[in-house]
Amino acid sequence: MKISNTPNTSSTITGFILLGFPCPREGQILLFLLFSVLYLLTLMSNGSIICAVYWDQRLHTPMYILLANFSFLEIWYVTSTVPNMLANFLSDTKVISFSGCFLQFYTFFSLGFTECFSLAVMAFDRYLAICQPLRYPSIMTGRLCTNLVVSCWILGFFWFLIPIIIISQMSFCGSRIIDHFLCDLGPLLALTCKKAPVVEHVFSTFSLLPLITLFLFIMGSYALVLRAVLKVPSAAGKRKAFSTCGSHLAVVSLFYGSVLVMYGSPTSKHEGGAQKIVTLFYSVVTPLLNPVIYSLRNKDMKNALQKLLGM
């Protein structure tokens, strides 16, 4: 991994400079305090869901186990970016090493894809529970649930190995400044010595293929769920099914809506400011909103959280 002032002259350097959100020192401190609060709230809210599922025996079902796994994933997802962003707010140099940059890049994308696979598994679970209620206990066993969770993590972390190896072997020229708060795909490709549209299309394919495939699978699953729910004669049964699936769809919409906007077109098409805002939304805001959506729209989860908090 090298960077040079011109394509023909190279020299090894310590790393990149993450520009983040340029503003006066006072503004940097205010941003540090704001994102520190958001980060702590995210850890507390997702941690509360994990604890509620762990301590409440009534929640030891596949749906809530998958939800606890999703909250655990969200904690690591936000941790892959926010602590370094907080350190940069107080740093004068804002330097991130090559190894640190590519480690963050790989971890961030791998956790993102793990989230995509997890959302698909949660949609599959709801399909089985509502469309195949009699067969659900025999199909969605504890062993299958565990295997699905493990598979999500393995697939998520293996999917982006080839792209990260390719980009880590490329040379970088001119400015080492990344106009972002994290080591994202677009800003890194913009700093490469030789522009390679083919490489960019390879990255886009690796990003979009699972995103679109899993999104269609999720939408198909919930379409079948919706058709089954409309056939339920009980109004209470319809409300419960709509409440559970509605929260899932809200989370899917928040995550996939912002991610598809970000990676649904070539990375070079995005302006720096818009890129930061969209990335900030799906990497920081949605992990904070997801526990709120799940807990507010799920009676069992609200009761478990109230019991956990002694309310």
Side-chain angles (χ1 to χ4, degrees), residues 80 97-109 164 183:
S80 69
S97 65
F98 273 120
S99 57
C101 183
F102 287 101
L103 177 60
Q104 184 189 63
F105 175 71
Y106 173 66
T107 305
F108 178 69
F109 271 84
I164 188 63
C183 292

Side-chain angles (χ1 to χ4, degrees), residues 232-243:
V232 175
S234 168
K238 285 183 179 180
R239 282 196 301 271
K240 184 175 181 180
F242 273 125
S243 176

